[in-house]
Amino acid sequence: MTTSIEDKVKIASNFLLSSPPGEVNDVFNDVRSLVDNDEALQDGILQALEQYNTEQLITVTLPELDYEVIVSNHGKVEGGRYVDPRSKQSFKFDHMRLAASELQPHEAHASIEPLREAIEKKALAYVNDHYPEGVCTVYAPTENQIAIAIVDNKYNPGNFWNGRWLATWTLDTQTGELKGATKINVHYYEDGNVQLNADKNYETKVVVTDVS
């Protein structure tokens, strides 16, 4: 029985979505050999790459900026663009090449922006103190919601291991409901192939004060 190109691409997409931290390019090169059809592969895996990049909180440095921005569904806006709330710009993101382009101004939600900026200031200080390679982006997807995304990657392929810490928090400013999720993925592959995947969810209520 011959496997169709469509089925091969679907299988390749599933492999990509399961890629360990820092190894998606290695997985892509492996499945590329298996599919043996570059055009069909690239057309078919773009959706999987977008899902992988946004779920794994892949980062990018925008032109003329000196900090990294997280590519997250919390920051996705119309036209398939993503937002950097800090510089108040949106950008297009190439999920294949991991590059940002076509920057343009982005109008923030005025009513919640002072609170977002206040949380951003505290969140950045926290990440700088606790995560050696941490990146944090704080969003205001709506006028009543704040979302915090944190990622820290540690790649050590020379010693056959890579790891990633992910954390997302969402705050409903009307109810004070705060929900969080943390995920850890570590891959060790010297004389074997072992992955650690752990996650934990949190939920509590906080008092939201007016900072405007």
Side-chain angles (χ1 to χ4, degrees), residues 92-130:
K92 282 193 172 181
F93 185 71
D94 187 325
H95 288 278
M96 182 75 71
R97 297 175 178 80
L98 305 182
S101 63
E102 298 184 32
L103 275 67
Q104 64 185 38
H106 178 77
E107 187 174 347
H109 297 293
S111 61
I112 201 173
E113 184 61 14
L115 177 61
R116 190 207 65 78
E117 290 180 342
I119 292 175
E120 177 183 76
K121 182 178 180 180
K122 295 293 186 180
L124 289 173
Y126 163 76
V127 170
N128 287 337
D129 284 343
H130 293 85

Side-chain angles (χ1 to χ4, degrees), residues 52-69:
Y52 180 85
N53 291 336
T54 52
E55 288 180 351
Q56 296 297 316
L57 305 183
I58 297 302
T59 64
V60 63
T61 301
L62 304 186
E64 300 182 8
L65 295 181
D66 60 356
Y67 60 86
E68 293 177 87
V69 180

Side-chain angles (χ1 to χ4, degrees), residues 8 14-16 20 23 37 39 41 47-48 51 61 74 78 91 107 124 134 137 150 161 166 174 176 190-191 201 207:
K8 287 183 178 180
N14 289 332
F15 277 126
L16 285 171
E23 299 172 45
N37 186 320
E39 184 176 354
L41 179 63
Q47 185 175 353
Q51 181 181 342
T61 301
H74 291 298
E78 291 182 0
F91 57 92
E107 187 174 347
L124 289 173
T137 302
I150 298 171
W161 65 267
L166 303 168
Q174 298 299 300
E190 182 178 17
D191 298 328
N201 296 320
V207 176

